[in-house]
Amino acid sequence: MRVLIVEDEPNLGQQLKNTLEGAGYAIDLATDGEEGHYLGSTENYDAIVLDLGLPEVDGLTVLDRWRKEGRTAPVLVLTARDSWSDKVAGLDAGADDYVAKPFQTEELIARLRALIRRASGNASSELTAGDVRLDTRSGKVTKAGEPVKLTAQEYKLLSYLLHHKGKVVSRTELIEHIYDQDFDRDSNTIEVFVTRIRKKLGQEVITTIRGLGYSLEDPDA
């Protein structure tokens, strides 16, 4: 899952980036509203963390522009601790949730997970396909109850396909959602990751749809 952070406080922005990367997300970081608006308008994100008090262009304006442009990525706004008016204004502008500063990063990550699940139509924190389970809280993957160790990129790819179970996902879409903008994106690596996942979880877990991409479904679907 790919997340954009728009935060002008250098220490907080970097801390969030490091923490979310450690939790398995691909992260892009913008430090002002102008850059944040540009990235959110030109790249595809599974969720956005947006500070409202930004230089250049304030967060509410950025959010309003995205929504008017038809950008539907879930947005979690960061607000001042006691500013209820900021919370209301953010939600009215199209935010999906908010966290007040200062906050616990565990809460922010939990809220992000929930936003991403809801956006893809998943209510549970456990994503399943047959006897394959991925727990989005712990990052653990099991098959028939037995733990399976995946690399970071294998995990990201499997997680994205599970979030979009039953849909055909193109290589381009996978590349856009499992890599940050600075990563050297090579579509051939997607096939490598799929092959590795099949070896660990079974050949049937991911179906190749020739000319279109990949699909992950329940075996009895």
Side-chain angles (χ1 to χ4, degrees):
M1 294 294 155
R2 189 175 174 201
V3 174
L4 171 64
I5 299 171
V6 190
E7 170 58 62
D8 66 312
E9 293 183 39
N11 291 338
L12 177 57
Q14 194 59 49
Q15 177 190 352
L16 286 175
K17 184 176 188 294
N18 294 342
T19 301
L20 288 172
E21 285 178 339
Y25 295 92
I27 303 298
D28 292 332
L29 175 61
T31 56
D32 63 64
E34 199 67 60
E35 181 186 14
H37 172 253
Y38 174 78
L39 287 175
S41 298
T42 58
E43 299 285 340
N44 291 313
Y45 294 100
D46 297 290
I48 297 173
V49 178
L50 176 69
D51 186 23
L52 296 186
L54 295 169
E56 304 297 335
V57 182
D58 68 88
L60 284 177
T61 300
V62 170
L63 178 55
D64 184 60
R65 288 179 182 176
W66 282 335
R67 294 313 190 214
K68 287 180 178 177
E69 293 164 358
R71 291 287 171 171
T72 59
V75 175
L76 175 68
V77 297
L78 305 180
T79 71
R81 184 175 183 83
D82 296 319
S83 181
W84 64 266
S85 59
D86 279 353
K87 299 170 187 175
V88 172
L91 293 171
D92 283 344
D96 299 272
D97 201 354
Y98 65 84
V99 172
K101 294 181 178 180
F103 53 82
Q104 295 294 322
T105 53
E106 291 83 0
E107 179 188 2
L108 183 142
I109 293 173
R111 288 180 179 273
L112 270 181
R113 283 198 303 261
L115 288 179
I116 292 171
R117 286 200 312 268
R118 288 200 294 268
S120 58
N122 294 286
S124 173
S125 60
E126 282 197 345
L127 307 177
T128 65
D131 61 358
V132 174
R133 287 182 181 272
L134 185 152
D135 189 329
T136 60
R137 294 166 301 183
S138 65
K140 293 180 179 179
V141 176
T142 60
K143 178 171 175 65
E146 294 298 319
V148 178
K149 189 172 183 179
L150 300 180
T151 67
Q153 296 298 351
E154 291 165 4
Y155 177 88
K156 290 176 185 178
L157 192 151
L158 178 65
S159 175
Y160 191 82
L161 290 177
L162 280 168
H163 273 89
H164 298 83
K165 186 171 66 175
K167 301 176 182 177
V168 178
V169 180
S170 69
R171 285 191 184 188
T172 300
E173 184 175 345
L174 284 169
I175 290 169
E176 289 177 343
H177 287 270
I178 70 172
Y179 297 135
D180 60 56
Q181 66 173 154
D182 296 327
F183 198 91
D184 183 14
R185 302 173 181 182
D186 182 355
S187 64
N188 292 325
T189 61
I190 298 297
E191 182 63 39
V192 173
F193 295 145
V194 169
T195 299
R196 290 179 183 172
I197 291 170
R198 284 172 173 158
K199 286 181 179 178
K200 296 178 180 181
L201 298 177
Q203 293 296 318
E204 74 287 349
V205 69
I206 299 174
T207 302
T208 299
I209 311 298
R210 190 174 298 277
L212 295 176
Y214 303 97
S215 178
L216 190 152
E217 301 184 19
D218 283 312
D220 55 354

